[in-house]
Amino acid sequence: MRFGFLSTDVAIDLGTANTLIWMRDKGLVLNEPSIVAFDRTNKHILAIGHEAQAMVGKTHRDIRTIRPLKDGVIADFEIAEGMLRAFIKKISLSWQPARRVVICVPSGITEVEKRAVRDSAEHAGAKEVHLIAEPMAAAIGIGLDVHEPKGNLIVDIGGGTTEIAVIALSGIVTDESIRMAGDEMTNSIVQYFKRNHNILIGERTAEIIKCEVGSAYPLEQEVEIEVKGRDLITGIPQSITVSSIDIREALSECVATIVESVRMLLERTPPELAADIYDRGIMLSGGGALLKGLDKRLSMETTLTVHVVEDPLTAVVRGTGKVLENLHHYMPCLIKSKRY
């Protein structure tokens, strides 16, 4: 897999749902969906990012739209390569290799997956490639001092994975990476309408429903939304109205899994760090942090204070960018290389 990087240092948050690129001295320069539309016959890429997202569920048989990443790791290398090439071309006309690249990865990926990401960047000509775990990047991005001997609990809910980690002294003390996050929530809404209303809705529609009326805790004022889909019995398009209570029921299993994973991690946390977490609370980042009432639900289940960080969608790439711009200071926070 070979793709051209910028002729400067870059930090990349290669996410299942969105790809974000941070450039030295320029900050966040790209934030687009990790979606590609391509020709089935020759795999020629027709659209990426926002343009490809608009085509999801509306293509004819010669065009296919996919996410080349699954559960936070590359699933289709060829398409992922083309997507990165196109994203990078959007932000610079330069195609010289980068001197240094920092890429964030899920904390639970295997050594083989880490090596695949590292090799991809090296094949592109990068002289230095560094990997950092997503919860560590999120902690740095929201301004926590990860070097101090105090415990911080980060819950980063992305598209493919939810990363839960206790961080202290520049390292991850204990962590949990579960493949239950934004995509599973969206799929749960699709399955709910199939099961309870015999209506088939698209992924984009389910995503809109999740963002507009999805919740993890009863709302002060419950709301309703009109949903359009195809009746599975008659095959005729139809519209129904559902409430935020119904959607909360659809999301209940996903939310319960995330909450239970946080509780299990707290049980494994050393007592001195648990005392710090009691004082500091839980930091909630990632796109999933925007689910209405999730902070209240977590707080109710754990009896801890839960803080939704500022701009949770970009917390990870902001942290990766900070690492890039002050690499020596954050070197202990990086994933150590294993030699084969």
Side-chain angles (χ1 to χ4, degrees), residues 4 141 204 237 270 275 283 324:
R204 280 190 69 203
M283 300 296 174
L324 175 75

Side-chain angles (χ1 to χ4, degrees), residues 87-338:
F87 279 149
I88 289 164
K89 192 174 180 181
K90 274 191 173 187
I91 59 176
S92 175
L93 297 175
S94 171
W95 287 84
Q96 297 175 19
R99 291 177 291 118
R100 182 177 292 152
V101 179
V102 181
I103 304 174
C104 63
V105 294
S107 59
I109 69 170
T110 65
E111 289 300 325
V112 173
E113 289 166 337
K114 290 176 193 173
R115 193 173 184 190
V117 174
R118 193 186 301 276
D119 288 350
S120 297
E122 288 175 349
H123 291 163
K127 292 181 175 63
E128 288 182 46
V129 181
H130 302 282
L131 303 182
I132 185 167
E134 284 177 11
M136 179 65 78
I140 295 169
I142 63 181
L144 298 180
D145 183 356
V146 295
H147 299 305
E148 64 179 346
K150 291 187 182 292
N152 296 290
L153 177 55
I154 307 293
V155 180
D156 182 71
I157 306 172
T161 61
T162 294
E163 308 287 323
I164 311 162
V166 175
I167 292 169
L169 290 169
S170 310
I172 294 175
V173 179
T174 182
D175 70 311
E176 186 81 32
S177 180
I178 59 170
R179 308 213 162 171
M180 176 71 73
D183 288 349
E184 278 297 323
M185 291 182 189
T186 303
N187 185 56
S188 294
I189 292 173
V190 173
Q191 297 305 319
Y192 172 83
F193 279 93
K194 267 188 185 179
R195 188 173 59 249
N196 293 278
H197 299 285
N198 285 321
I199 287 180
L200 183 64
I201 62 171
E203 185 183 311
R204 280 190 69 203
T205 300
E207 181 76 20
I208 291 168
I209 294 168
K210 179 180 73 177
C211 294
E212 290 190 4
V213 302
S215 63
Y217 192 83
L219 303 176
E220 289 183 12
Q221 185 173 353
E222 302 291 352
V223 293
E224 293 187 338
I225 188 171
E226 183 186 15
V227 179
K228 298 170 185 173
R230 191 182 81 224
D231 191 301
L232 288 169
I233 298 173
T234 65
I236 297 172
Q238 74 169 52
S239 168
I240 63 167
T241 300
V242 295
S243 73
S244 49
I245 299 171
D246 300 320
I247 305 306
R248 188 160 57 250
E249 179 190 335
L251 296 172
S252 61
E253 187 177 339
C254 295
V255 172
T257 302
I258 292 171
V259 169
E260 184 58 29
S261 297
V262 173
R263 290 170 62 94
M264 288 173 61
L265 189 80
L266 286 167
E267 289 176 7
R268 304 202 307 266
T269 302
E272 294 294 341
L273 295 178
D276 293 334
I277 292 167
Y278 179 83
D279 292 336
R280 296 178 168 218
I282 298 171
M283 300 296 174
L284 200 56
S285 69
L290 299 173
L291 182 69
K292 298 177 186 68
L294 182 57
D295 53 339
K296 291 180 181 177
R297 174 72 182 273
L298 262 175
S299 182
M300 181 188 74
E301 296 276 358
T302 62
T303 69
L304 297 172
T305 305
V306 180
H307 309 279
V308 178
V309 306
E310 185 180 351
D311 196 7
L313 283 164
T314 64
V316 170
V317 77
R318 281 186 279 126
T320 312
K322 282 184 182 179
V323 172
L324 175 75
E325 296 186 357
N326 197 355
L327 192 63
H328 179 73
H329 181 66
Y330 289 110
M331 189 64 78
C333 303
L334 299 174
I335 293 174
K336 305 299 184 290
S337 299
K338 285 195 176 182

